[in-house]
PDB file of all heavy atoms in Angstrom:
ATOM      1  N   THR A 188     -17.033  -5.152  28.414  1.00 93.00           N
ATOM      2  CA  THR A 188     -16.066  -4.161  28.867  1.00 93.00           C
ATOM      3  C   THR A 188     -16.536  -2.755  28.468  1.00 93.00           C
ATOM      4  O   THR A 188     -17.030  -2.569  27.355  1.00 93.00           O
ATOM      5  CB  THR A 188     -14.687  -4.437  28.218  1.00 93.00           C
ATOM      6  OG1 THR A 188     -14.399  -5.823  28.361  1.00 93.00           O
ATOM      7  CG2 THR A 188     -13.582  -3.613  28.859  1.00 93.00           C
ATOM      8  N   VAL A 189     -16.361  -1.774  29.367  1.00 95.00           N
ATOM      9  CA  VAL A 189     -16.810  -0.414  29.040  1.00 95.00           C
ATOM     10  C   VAL A 189     -15.965   0.144  27.895  1.00 95.00           C
ATOM     11  O   VAL A 189     -14.778  -0.182  27.780  1.00 95.00           O
ATOM     12  CB  VAL A 189     -16.732   0.546  30.264  1.00 95.00           C
ATOM     13  CG1 VAL A 189     -17.801   0.204  31.267  1.00 95.00           C
ATOM     14  CG2 VAL A 189     -15.358   0.530  30.902  1.00 95.00           C
ATOM     15  N   PRO A 190     -16.557   0.971  26.996  1.00 94.00           N
ATOM     16  CA  PRO A 190     -15.853   1.429  25.792  1.00 94.00           C
ATOM     17  C   PRO A 190     -14.473   2.036  26.056  1.00 94.00           C
ATOM     18  O   PRO A 190     -13.523   1.743  25.312  1.00 94.00           O
ATOM     19  CB  PRO A 190     -16.806   2.474  25.210  1.00 94.00           C
ATOM     20  CG  PRO A 190     -18.154   2.027  25.673  1.00 94.00           C
ATOM     21  CD  PRO A 190     -17.951   1.420  27.024  1.00 94.00           C
ATOM     22  N   ALA A 191     -14.321   2.876  27.100  1.00 96.00           N
ATOM     23  CA  ALA A 191     -13.031   3.523  27.343  1.00 96.00           C
ATOM     24  C   ALA A 191     -11.951   2.487  27.624  1.00 96.00           C
ATOM     25  O   ALA A 191     -10.850   2.541  27.053  1.00 96.00           O
ATOM     26  CB  ALA A 191     -13.140   4.503  28.507  1.00 96.00           C
ATOM     27  N   THR A 192     -12.269   1.495  28.454  1.00 97.00           N
ATOM     28  CA  THR A 192     -11.304   0.435  28.779  1.00 97.00           C
ATOM     29  C   THR A 192     -10.984  -0.375  27.519  1.00 97.00           C
ATOM     30  O   THR A 192      -9.826  -0.711  27.249  1.00 97.00           O
ATOM     31  CB  THR A 192     -11.903  -0.505  29.855  1.00 97.00           C
ATOM     32  OG1 THR A 192     -12.470   0.291  30.874  1.00 97.00           O
ATOM     33  CG2 THR A 192     -10.846  -1.427  30.419  1.00 97.00           C
ATOM     34  N   ARG A 193     -12.035  -0.676  26.747  1.00 96.00           N
ATOM     35  CA  ARG A 193     -11.873  -1.470  25.527  1.00 96.00           C
ATOM     36  C   ARG A 193     -10.920  -0.748  24.569  1.00 96.00           C
ATOM     37  O   ARG A 193      -9.999  -1.348  24.024  1.00 96.00           O
ATOM     38  CB  ARG A 193     -13.258  -1.648  24.902  1.00 96.00           C
ATOM     39  CG  ARG A 193     -13.336  -2.565  23.719  1.00 96.00           C
ATOM     40  CD  ARG A 193     -14.767  -3.088  23.583  1.00 96.00           C
ATOM     41  NE  ARG A 193     -15.750  -2.031  23.478  1.00 96.00           N
ATOM     42  CZ  ARG A 193     -16.075  -1.419  22.326  1.00 96.00           C
ATOM     43  NH1 ARG A 193     -15.500  -1.767  21.202  1.00 96.00           N
ATOM     44  NH2 ARG A 193     -16.977  -0.465  22.314  1.00 96.00           N
ATOM     45  N   TRP A 194     -11.154   0.560  24.380  1.00 95.00           N
ATOM     46  CA  TRP A 194     -10.294   1.352  23.494  1.00 95.00           C
ATOM     47  C   TRP A 194      -8.839   1.321  23.967  1.00 95.00           C
ATOM     48  O   TRP A 194      -7.923   1.149  23.167  1.00 95.00           O
ATOM     49  CB  TRP A 194     -10.784   2.810  23.457  1.00 95.00           C
ATOM     50  CG  TRP A 194     -11.690   3.059  22.309  1.00 95.00           C
ATOM     51  CD1 TRP A 194     -13.047   2.952  22.291  1.00 95.00           C
ATOM     52  CD2 TRP A 194     -11.302   3.441  20.987  1.00 95.00           C
ATOM     53  NE1 TRP A 194     -13.520   3.235  21.035  1.00 95.00           N
ATOM     54  CE2 TRP A 194     -12.479   3.539  20.227  1.00 95.00           C
ATOM     55  CE3 TRP A 194     -10.067   3.695  20.383  1.00 95.00           C
ATOM     56  CZ2 TRP A 194     -12.466   3.893  18.879  1.00 95.00           C
ATOM     57  CZ3 TRP A 194     -10.043   4.049  19.040  1.00 95.00           C
ATOM     58  CH2 TRP A 194     -11.231   4.143  18.306  1.00 95.00           C
ATOM     59  N   ALA A 195      -8.667   1.490  25.291  1.00 97.00           N
ATOM     60  CA  ALA A 195      -7.313   1.511  25.856  1.00 97.00           C
ATOM     61  C   ALA A 195      -6.614   0.181  25.600  1.00 97.00           C
ATOM     62  O   ALA A 195      -5.447   0.140  25.182  1.00 97.00           O
ATOM     63  CB  ALA A 195      -7.366   1.811  27.350  1.00 97.00           C
ATOM     64  N   ILE A 196      -7.347  -0.930  25.827  1.00 97.00           N
ATOM     65  CA  ILE A 196      -6.744  -2.255  25.615  1.00 97.00           C
ATOM     66  C   ILE A 196      -6.404  -2.444  24.139  1.00 97.00           C
ATOM     67  O   ILE A 196      -5.328  -2.944  23.790  1.00 97.00           O
ATOM     68  CB  ILE A 196      -7.696  -3.374  26.115  1.00 97.00           C
ATOM     69  CG1 ILE A 196      -7.847  -3.286  27.649  1.00 97.00           C
ATOM     70  CG2 ILE A 196      -7.174  -4.754  25.727  1.00 97.00           C
ATOM     71  CD1 ILE A 196      -8.887  -4.225  28.237  1.00 97.00           C
ATOM     72  N   ASP A 197      -7.289  -2.009  23.231  1.00 97.00           N
ATOM     73  CA  ASP A 197      -7.040  -2.122  21.786  1.00 97.00           C
ATOM     74  C   ASP A 197      -5.758  -1.385  21.395  1.00 97.00           C
ATOM     75  O   ASP A 197      -4.920  -1.902  20.650  1.00 97.00           O
ATOM     76  CB  ASP A 197      -8.208  -1.525  20.986  1.00 97.00           C
ATOM     77  CG  ASP A 197      -9.466  -2.372  21.073  1.00 97.00           C
ATOM     78  OD1 ASP A 197      -9.363  -3.516  21.553  1.00 97.00           O
ATOM     79  OD2 ASP A 197     -10.533  -1.885  20.679  1.00 97.00           O
ATOM     80  N   VAL A 198      -5.621  -0.141  21.915  1.00 97.00           N
ATOM     81  CA  VAL A 198      -4.450   0.675  21.562  1.00 97.00           C
ATOM     82  C   VAL A 198      -3.173   0.039  22.091  1.00 97.00           C
ATOM     83  O   VAL A 198      -2.182  -0.102  21.361  1.00 97.00           O
ATOM     84  CB  VAL A 198      -4.607   2.121  22.096  1.00 97.00           C
ATOM     85  CG1 VAL A 198      -3.302   2.900  21.951  1.00 97.00           C
ATOM     86  CG2 VAL A 198      -5.739   2.833  21.366  1.00 97.00           C
ATOM     87  N   VAL A 199      -3.203  -0.391  23.377  1.00 98.00           N
ATOM     88  CA  VAL A 199      -2.007  -1.002  23.975  1.00 98.00           C
ATOM     89  C   VAL A 199      -1.637  -2.279  23.218  1.00 98.00           C
ATOM     90  O   VAL A 199      -0.465  -2.509  22.897  1.00 98.00           O
ATOM     91  CB  VAL A 199      -2.235  -1.291  25.482  1.00 98.00           C
ATOM     92  CG1 VAL A 199      -1.099  -2.146  26.044  1.00 98.00           C
ATOM     93  CG2 VAL A 199      -2.345   0.021  26.256  1.00 98.00           C
ATOM     94  N   ALA A 200      -2.639  -3.108  22.873  1.00 98.00           N
ATOM     95  CA  ALA A 200      -2.366  -4.354  22.147  1.00 98.00           C
ATOM     96  C   ALA A 200      -1.720  -4.049  20.794  1.00 98.00           C
ATOM     97  O   ALA A 200      -0.747  -4.703  20.399  1.00 98.00           O
ATOM     98  CB  ALA A 200      -3.663  -5.135  21.946  1.00 98.00           C
TER      99      ALA A 200
END
Side-chain angles (χ1 to χ4, degrees):
Chain A
T188 312
V189 288
T192 314
R193 187 157 56 85
W194 265 91
I196 294 173
D197 290 348
V198 170
V199 170

